[in-house]
Amino acid sequence: MLIQHAVDVICVIDLKCTILSVNPASRTVWGYSPDELIGKQVTDFLSSDDVKNTMKAIVGAEKSIDRIFFENRFRKKSGAIVDLLWSAHLSASDRGLFCIAHDITDRKRAERLLKESEERIRSILETMPAGVAVINQNGTIEFMNKAALELTHYKRNESNTLQASRLFSFFNDTSFEQLIGAQEFGASRDCQIASSTGERFPAEASTCKLSWSESSACLVVFLDATIKYEVERTKREFFAMVSHDLRTPLTTISLIFSYLLDGLGGDLSKDATEFASRGFESCQRLMTLVQDLLDLEKMRAGKFVMDIVETSISEVISAAVSAVEPYAESQSISLSQELTELQCLCDGGRIIQVLINLLSNAIKFSVPDGTVYIVAQVEANHVKISVRNRGPVIAADKLSSIFEKFEQANSRGAEERRGTGLGLAISKTLVEQHGGKIWAESSEEAGTSFSFTLPLAEALPGGAGVTP
């Protein structure tokens, strides 16, 4: 009675694969009535690739007292193919194998999709230029791509049984759970990687969680950092040389020229005065370049300390204008500033440095007897400070690149007025460290302006705030 009402197909098959009996579920599950199946060979309904293994399993059941299991693909009356898991045991009373056929099509489809997905992941990881390793929960490496094998000098068959702690130094003091704590890549970490020869090399590695072979795994992506560390060492040595071996003698030479120009060494001829003046200016220019290089390196290394407090914009602008006034007068350039009661959040000294740089450039490239304008105005939660002049137009394709190191504007008539190429790069870094932005605009009609923004004092959450 239970067999007649079972959901799965239940049948009896003799050892020659002939269907002797079948329950009514065959009609709803396979589309065949029992009469259409009884007396037929079960292999007539199977995929040709599964016939041999099915016959072997059925014949082998005669020699087994245990239940046997086998899988095959069965063609339904509609023509659709389903995956079946057969559970069978020899039944003397039924004169054959008593079988229950479970439809596992959905499970097999999921398994195929998972396999295809894993194969795609393997293919992607294999072609990555960085080293890639997949580590299981037992700390064993299950996969290493071509780049990883080349970096570590392991062969593929050797890597499959390798313990991650032997390869990556951070596996010795970090648990698997910590390494896969985030779904996405965490911050890159410095580590040591051991090659098959026992030699170690510095690397940068990032880890994240990965679904692999139906379980969680740790994906490690790493790069050889040997060249990077060598470059860093060379840079440190270079800046140490700049700081000590260049700045000190330049300061001495500059003082000598200043001593001569002040007449402390006696009267100089007109030509000697001109040569000494040029020498002094060259020394000053080199010292500015050295200081700019050192400042940029400090900013890059995060060692450039700033004291950001509520500051009067008028005081900052006035201080910068006072500093460049002698230069402006020597170039017959007028300075026009609009004072304001606005307060901003900044390191006043650093913003004065930015303004002096922008004003000096504006004076240098202004038309003869021209005027340089300094304007401050509110823009959303920021104050926008602009320095504008009339002078050579900056090419449109240079308006953003001029803020990069050693870039020059290449504007018409600027060939003889070049600077170090670092002033705007430093200004950009300083403004961005304040949370602002800096940009340039240039046209024949409106002239050239350099603008930057700073947060207003009242924009700081919990700040005292000063209403303009």
Side-chain angles (χ1 to χ4, degrees):
M1 189 68 178
L2 290 174
I3 293 176
Q4 294 298 313
H5 292 88
V7 176
D8 288 326
V9 175
I10 299 175
C11 60
V12 177
I13 303 173
D14 67 16
L15 298 180
K16 294 181 180 180
C17 297
T18 303
I19 300 174
L20 302 178
S21 64
V22 63
N23 70 338
S26 64
R27 187 185 300 277
T28 55
V29 177
W30 293 344
Y32 296 105
S33 66
D35 292 339
E36 292 176 293
L37 293 171
I38 294 173
K40 301 287 180 63
Q41 297 288 306
V42 71
T43 52
D44 293 342
F45 302 92
L46 301 181
S47 173
S48 58
D49 294 338
D50 297 327
V51 171
K52 184 176 179 180
N53 288 336
T54 299
M55 292 181 64
K56 182 178 179 180
I58 291 174
V59 172
E62 184 181 12
K63 302 176 182 180
S64 175
I65 60 173
D66 298 320
R67 185 178 297 274
I68 64 169
F69 299 90
F70 56 93
E71 295 180 8
N72 54 37
R73 288 163 290 175
F74 188 93
R75 185 178 65 257
K76 296 168 63 173
K77 191 172 183 177
S78 65
I81 303 295
V82 293
D83 290 283
L84 298 178
L85 171 63
W86 296 77
S87 171
H89 69 273
L90 193 63
S91 173
S93 60
D94 292 317
R95 297 170 288 107
L97 291 178
F98 183 82
C99 304
I100 302 175
H102 304 279
D103 188 336
I104 58 170
T105 304
D106 291 340
R107 193 193 82 186
K108 297 295 286 186
R109 183 182 295 113
E111 289 176 354
R112 283 194 291 270
L113 289 174
L114 181 63
K115 183 178 180 181
E116 290 171 2
S117 176
E118 185 173 317
E119 288 175 352
R120 283 195 297 270
I121 292 174
R122 281 179 180 268
S123 178
I124 293 171
L125 297 181
E126 186 64 48
T127 57
M128 287 180 64
V132 175
V134 177
I135 296 110
N136 63 25
Q137 298 182 39
N138 297 322
T140 303
I141 293 177
E142 292 201 0
F143 170 80
M144 287 175 68
N145 72 343
K146 182 180 178 182
L149 294 172
E150 290 176 350
L151 285 170
T152 59
H153 305 296
Y154 279 101
K155 296 179 180 179
R156 195 169 294 277
N157 61 337
E158 294 175 329
S159 67
N160 293 336
T161 57
L162 188 65
Q163 285 295 307
S165 58
R166 182 178 172 185
L167 191 67
F168 301 103
S169 60
F170 58 80
F171 263 85
N172 293 315
D173 52 18
T174 308
S175 68
F176 181 85
E177 289 71 21
Q178 289 175 313
L179 291 171
I180 64 170
Q183 292 287 343
E184 300 178 353
F185 280 112
S188 131
R189 70 180 76 201
D190 295 331
C191 69
Q192 292 285 319
I193 293 181
S195 67
S196 63
T197 61
E199 296 180 354
R200 291 182 172 271
F201 61 89
E204 289 184 344
S206 294
T207 62
C208 77
K209 185 178 181 180
L210 176 71
S211 294
W212 187 271
S213 300
E214 301 184 26
S215 61
S216 294
C218 178
L219 176 67
V220 183
V221 178
F222 60 95
L223 293 168
D224 186 346
T226 303
I227 296 177
K228 174 190 171 182
Y229 287 131
E230 182 63 26
V231 169
E232 289 295 328
R233 183 186 65 79
T234 303
K235 283 177 64 177
R236 287 195 300 270
E237 291 177 354
F238 170 74
F239 283 108
M241 180 271 294
V242 167
S243 180
H244 299 96
D245 298 341
L246 281 182
R247 188 159 55 174
T248 300
L250 281 173
T251 301
T252 302
I253 296 171
S254 180
L255 288 173
I256 292 172
F257 280 125
S258 178
Y259 178 86
L260 293 174
L261 289 170
D262 289 341
L264 299 178
D267 293 335
L268 298 178
S269 66
K270 182 179 179 181
D271 288 343
T273 301
E274 184 178 347
F275 285 134
S277 179
R278 289 182 181 180
F280 179 76
E281 290 175 0
S282 295
C283 281
Q284 291 297 112
R285 186 170 178 274
L286 282 174
M287 289 177 67
T288 300
L289 175 60
V290 168
Q291 189 57 52
D292 286 349
L293 283 170
L294 295 175
D295 285 347
L296 277 174
E297 177 59 15
K298 287 180 182 178
M299 293 176 191
R300 187 200 66 81
K303 298 178 180 179
F304 204 74
V305 180
M306 293 194 299
D307 183 20
I308 297 179
V309 296
E310 190 173 312
T311 305
S312 167
I313 293 175
S314 292
E315 291 179 5
V316 168
I317 293 176
S318 296
V321 168
S322 296
V324 299
E325 272 181 338
Y327 178 49
E329 290 175 1
S330 70
Q331 301 297 312
S332 301
I333 301 298
S334 300
L335 298 174
S336 173
Q337 57 179 312
E338 292 185 12
L339 299 180
T340 174
E341 296 303 318
L342 293 172
Q343 301 279 325
C344 68
L345 295 166
C346 70
D347 182 323
R350 299 305 180 190
I351 298 305
I352 290 172
Q353 181 181 351
V354 172
L355 279 170
I356 289 175
N357 180 53
L358 297 183
L359 288 168
S360 297
N361 284 344
I363 294 168
K364 183 190 301 183
F365 295 102
S366 186
V367 295
D369 300 318
T371 300
V372 173
Y373 300 89
I374 311 98
V375 180
Q377 60 191 60
V378 175
E379 197 171 85
N381 290 329
H382 290 74
V383 59
K384 173 185 171 184
I385 303 175
S386 300
V387 175
R388 180 170 56 88
N389 76 340
R390 287 281 183 179
V393 175
I394 300 174
D397 60 349
K398 287 289 184 180
L399 288 175
S400 59
S401 64
I402 55 175
F403 292 100
E404 302 301 322
K405 288 182 289 187
F406 303 113
E407 284 289 335
Q408 302 287 346
N410 289 339
S411 56
R412 295 190 301 273
E415 290 78 6
E416 297 181 358
R417 292 173 284 182
R418 295 187 182 278
T420 65
L422 292 174
L424 291 178
I426 292 174
S427 297
K428 180 176 184 288
T429 302
L430 287 172
V431 169
E432 289 178 348
Q433 288 188 352
H434 280 82
K437 61 179 181 178
I438 187 170
W439 68 96
E441 298 170 295
S442 186
S443 68
E444 291 283 0
E445 298 77 18
T448 299
S449 67
F450 282 80
S451 305
F452 63 94
T453 59
L454 295 170
L456 284 169
E458 63 179 6
L460 182 66
V466 177
T467 304

